[in-house]
Amino acid sequence: MERAFTCFLSSKGYGSPVNDVRSPWTHASRRVKITTTGVAVLVVAGVVAGPAAFGDNATPPVKVPAAEVHKPSAIPDRILLTPTTTPATSQKVTWRAKAEAPYAQAQFMEAPRALGDVAPAAGAVTSVQAEATNSVNTSLGYASTYHTAQFTGLKPATRYTYRVGDGTNWSPWTDFTTAAAELKPFSFIYYGDAQNYIDSAVPRVFRKAFADRPEAKVVVNAGDLIDTANSEEQWGQWYQAGSFIDAQVNSISVPGNHEYSNGLSNFWRPQFPYPDNGPGDAALKQTAYTVDYQGVRFIALDSNVQSDAKLMAAQTAWLEGLLKNNPNKWTAVTFHHPVYSTTGSRNNAAVRDQWGPLFEKYGVDLVLQGHDHSYGRGNKTENRKSVTTHNGVTYVVSVSGGKMYALNNGANWTGNGAEPVANSERTQLYQLIDVEKDQLRFEARYANGEHFDGFTVRKNAKGEKTVNEIRTPENSVGEHVTVDKTKVSNRLGTVDVSAFGYDPGESATVSMRRTDGKKVILQLPIGVAKADELGRLRHTARLNPLTMPKGTYVIHLESKNQKITSPVITVTN
């Protein structure tokens, strides 16, 4: 296939950079049309040079072997932070390097203003030996050796810098920040399956998410990080996709079905030394665990064992204990197989029947899942309070990788008492969650950064909550007001009014309105109402026979953000 393109050659030299907008290359230029046939060309002093210009025996490029790309050395790589049970005062880090156990070590200190020519103050640096060294034999002809070190005695909400190595070969100094000792605002990122196209399509998702939340404290991976459980190449690609991000943001990951192949991946526990605080069964060690982080209880479950009655029962009992005795305001649960599947005929009945009732009973805020290679978000239908608001658990399924499945039109949701609110297929996404004292904001964005979906959870001191759609011009108008009756006497009759979707403390005028179908013909103000801390408005409208003739009306609520109405109410004498 021939391609033609035009370039401009300057007769005044070749020193100007191509992207230098100050030099448009318009002076004394010659237009040269060059036709190519699928080969690279080089323009030097106005002469077109192809492969033949460098000899007839030029060797075409070949793909670099995976064993060469991912082979370990004494220089540390695959550096990753994993949380401890006390993330305000301690931190774990794992890395890969060809280092003997006695030499594997890490150093840390409070993050200084400068390094390099500025040496750390005497006694500022603490050195720790690796507490674990584990080698994984790979299919590429070598072993990958992972080391784990733990930093203790840290200060809450404090920035530290650290490096790992063998005393001679070191990683760069990298910063992280410990959790606060109590609930403080922070952000975390959530990904569905990466799994496929890890070296090509996934990196841009991870990097865009981090660019949008550069101070995120946690990344949640809901399983299927890779496609083949024991593939050294794919694990190497996964680490390359995350790059330096893994070294400064804590990872909370669960295994998916692709992390299992005749058992759990040999790479899992050496790479992810999570707290051993799960149900107690050795099969669930570091695949089911919990971390309390700055006001959020993160619970990781292993849904790959849903066909094993014993392991499911152990996890279910453990889960209920964590939910029943939870001092944190917010709760996020993550596992791989969805409670409500978005694709095909998938149906995870054991997960839904055993864990779903506990999520609802104890008011879990977010259930973050993967597996279905599409996006779905919804809730139990019975929790719907208005067109834009529910007060239950929010279930999310997402995908970050390039493998896509078609949606199933919500059949697994509606067939099990739930409603899908948002869905998407053939898209890569990342999710940003911003945690505050009284609200949690969730947003899903496409790989290119465009907004796709979002909602805000508000919760008060009693544990009551509302889950509110992000406000749009479309959902801020219409019949969203609920009334306790649709027929009432005007002789001092009352109507109880409720509505949702307001900002906390937002005021709305309350009116009785009559229309002729096209325009308002009568509007009678009957009060002012104010939303509570959940954005919930409640008001009792009292009717006056002197000002309100019989007829049909709607109750109209108008505020700075919403103009909404009730169903038709018949007023009698």
Side-chain angles (χ1 to χ4, degrees), residues 406-422:
L407 294 168
N408 63 5
N409 298 316
N412 194 245
W413 295 75
T414 57
N416 291 286
E419 56 181 12
V421 176

Side-chain angles (χ1 to χ4, degrees), residues 191-203 205-206 221-229 231 233-239 241 254-260 304 336-337 346 370-374 398-405 428-429:
Y191 300 123
D193 306 33
Q195 187 179 343
N196 304 94
Y197 305 96
I198 311 171
D199 60 339
S200 58
V202 172
V205 179
F206 289 0
N221 291 290
D224 280 5
L225 286 64
I226 43 77
D227 188 53
T228 304
S231 171
E233 179 180 14
Q234 291 177 19
W235 281 113
Q237 291 171 346
W238 185 82
Y239 277 101
V254 293
N257 53 297
H258 284 268
E259 274 78 49
Y260 276 86
N304 297 282
H336 188 59
H337 299 81
R346 291 177 168 181
H371 192 53
D372 284 353
H373 294 263
S374 55
S398 191
V399 58
S400 61
K403 180 181 179 182
M404 313 295 180
Y405 292 160
Q428 291 176 268
L429 304 109

Side-chain angles (χ1 to χ4, degrees), residues 30-181:
R30 304 192 308 269
R31 180 169 294 186
V32 180
K33 187 173 183 181
I34 302 169
T35 302
T36 70
T37 310
V39 297
V41 297
L42 177 65
V43 180
V44 180
V47 178
V48 179
F54 301 98
D56 295 331
N57 298 319
T59 303
V62 296
K63 185 175 179 63
V64 179
E68 185 175 334
V69 174
H70 301 290
K71 189 175 183 179
S73 73
I75 304 299
D77 64 3
R78 303 187 186 181
I79 304 170
L80 181 134
L81 295 181
T82 53
T84 68
T85 55
T86 55
T89 57
S90 61
Q91 178 66 63
K92 278 191 176 182
V93 59
T94 62
W95 70 99
R96 186 187 73 152
K98 293 179 68 174
E100 299 296 329
Y103 295 98
Q105 59 188 282
Q107 294 181 330
F108 69 94
M109 60 180 161
E110 288 193 40
R113 294 178 177 177
L115 288 169
D117 283 348
V118 183
V125 177
T126 299
S127 297
V128 294
Q129 291 297 118
E131 63 182 23
T133 294
N134 296 282
S135 290
V136 180
N137 291 322
T138 76
S139 59
L140 298 182
Y142 56 79
S144 277
T145 301
Y146 292 88
H147 310 279
T148 300
Q150 183 169 185
F151 310 140
T152 59
L154 308 180
K155 299 177 183 177
T158 302
R159 194 173 186 89
Y160 287 86
T161 191
Y162 75 97
R163 64 179 183 175
V164 296
D166 58 13
T168 300
N169 302 287
W170 292 102
S171 69
W173 289 101
T174 302
D175 286 10
F176 70 92
T177 301
T178 52

